[in-house]
Amino acid sequence: MNMNMEIETLIEIGVEIRDVVRSFIHENVDYGEMVVQRPKDITRRIDMTAEQALDDALLNRGLSARIISEELGDRIVGKKPGFMLVFDPIDGSTNATCGIPFFCTSLAYTEKTDAATFEDISMAVICDIQGNIYHAVRGRGAFLNGKRVTDKKRGTRPKPVVSVYSYGVPYVPPGLIEFEKTIILRALGSIALDMCFVADGTLDGVVDTRGLVSGYDIMASALILKESGGSLTDIKGQVISGDVRTTGMSITGTKNKKLHDRIVRVLSKKEA
């Protein structure tokens, strides 16, 4: 396959999974039923349906891949893998369970099949439940529904609009509360879609200070944000890197360097 076919195929697979999820929700009232509980997360019926949809999409196309995913971990689909996919079947599963239509399927692609880092991801696709498709190819830009993402902001905003995740953990950075008074604060419930919203100008920034972000959550959206001209760092300002299986991250992403630097300064403040 050439590169164009590869991204087209990845988009097809993402759409296929999204459509399976949509049908499953419509046909099953218990789609959000919990099947596995972990210390910091849970797996629901809808997650496992999406995982199976990915396996089926690959096998039906005669493709073999190594998959690193949120629900099933590290596995091989097919015989000898020709590439690796980092997969979050449902990012925003709480929204999905509550009937809030803000969640997505996230696929990040690398030709490497052994050890791979954020820098090795060469293609990304995110399909949201509303029918939108974000994709990026390294060095070729980021796209929304086939059109290149621009820097044009949406709506009217007197202050920066930033999605902030700081709830559910005992520690909140001391400067965050004061910072929240200077922005329009949102927490939309899907870190991958939040990052896509930063890429397309819907949001000005995204911050997660909880130390709960994993590689599969943001591997695809990190490439989309980068290819749109944005930056993603930890809350100390260091570029996000590391293995695709990295966990326990806190992040901040923007397309505005001045805002990004301000967020890092705020989050670096010490308690008095």
Side-chain angles (χ1 to χ4, degrees):
M1 284 186 182
N2 60 37
M3 179 63 77
N4 288 333
M5 283 297 296
E6 285 179 343
I7 188 58
E8 290 172 1
T9 301
L10 194 63
I11 291 170
E12 286 177 2
I13 290 172
V15 170
E16 194 170 304
I17 296 167
R18 190 261 315 283
D19 290 347
V20 168
V21 167
R22 180 184 286 153
S23 295
F24 188 78
I25 289 173
H26 288 163
E27 296 168 5
N28 296 271
V29 294
D30 60 347
Y31 66 87
E33 179 183 351
M34 182 177 66
V35 293
V36 178
Q37 184 169 9
R38 298 182 295 277
K40 294 183 179 180
D41 202 1
I42 60 177
T43 296
R44 304 179 187 276
R45 287 189 67 203
I46 190 176
D47 296 305
M48 297 309 297
T49 297
E51 292 274 9
Q52 185 61 53
L54 173 59
D55 290 7
D56 292 344
L58 293 171
L59 294 173
N60 290 341
R61 289 169 172 81
L63 299 173
S64 180
R66 179 182 176 189
I67 310 296
I68 296 179
S69 71
E70 178 175 14
E71 313 304 336
L72 296 182
D74 195 339
R75 69 188 189 276
I76 302 295
V77 175
K79 295 181 179 179
K80 184 178 180 180
F83 53 89
M84 182 191 298
L85 293 176
V86 184
F87 179 49
D88 192 349
I90 307 289
D91 186 67
S93 57
T94 299
N95 281 349
T97 302
C98 294
I100 300 170
F102 191 79
F103 54 95
C104 66
T105 289
S106 173
L107 287 161
Y109 170 99
T110 173
E111 294 180 354
K112 292 192 173 183
T113 58
D114 47 10
T117 67
F118 274 78
E119 290 74 23
D120 295 318
I121 298 301
S122 59
M123 298 191 299
V125 171
I126 290 180
C127 298
D128 75 16
I129 199 63
Q130 302 268 21
N132 296 303
I133 304 168
Y134 292 87
H135 84 266
V137 178
R138 187 173 58 205
R140 299 188 185 183
F143 299 82
L144 168 59
N145 298 327
K147 296 182 179 180
R148 185 178 294 273
V149 167
T150 68
D151 291 331
K152 185 177 180 180
K153 294 185 182 297
R154 300 182 179 184
T156 301
R157 55 192 74 176
K159 297 184 290 187
V161 182
V162 181
S163 189
V164 179
Y165 297 87
S166 59
Y167 57 82
V169 293
Y171 176 77
V172 176
L176 188 59
I177 294 175
E178 287 301 314
F179 172 70
E180 289 176 352
K181 297 177 182 177
T182 70
I183 62 172
I184 297 173
L185 173 66
R186 306 286 89 182
L188 304 180
S190 168
I191 194 73
L193 277 181
D194 284 351
M195 289 169 63
C196 289
F197 273 20
V198 175
D200 73 14
T202 303
L203 291 173
D204 295 297
V206 58
V207 178
D208 194 322
T209 65
R210 301 172 298 170
L212 297 177
V213 177
S214 297
Y216 49 72
D217 294 319
I218 63 169
M219 198 68 72
S221 53
L223 181 64
I224 290 168
L225 179 57
K226 181 178 180 180
E227 288 294 324
S228 75
S231 62
L232 180 70
T233 72
D234 63 21
I235 58 176
K236 296 181 180 179
Q238 300 299 309
V239 174
I240 295 291
S241 59
D243 187 90
V244 295
R245 292 166 294 188
T246 300
T247 61
M249 292 182 285
S250 293
I251 64 167
T252 181
T254 70
K255 291 179 72 173
N256 182 304
K257 186 178 186 304
K258 185 176 180 181
L259 175 62
H260 196 283
D261 291 347
R262 181 157 71 97
I263 292 171
V264 170
R265 285 198 305 271
V266 164
L267 298 181
S268 299
K269 285 184 177 180
K270 306 297 183 182
E271 292 186 78

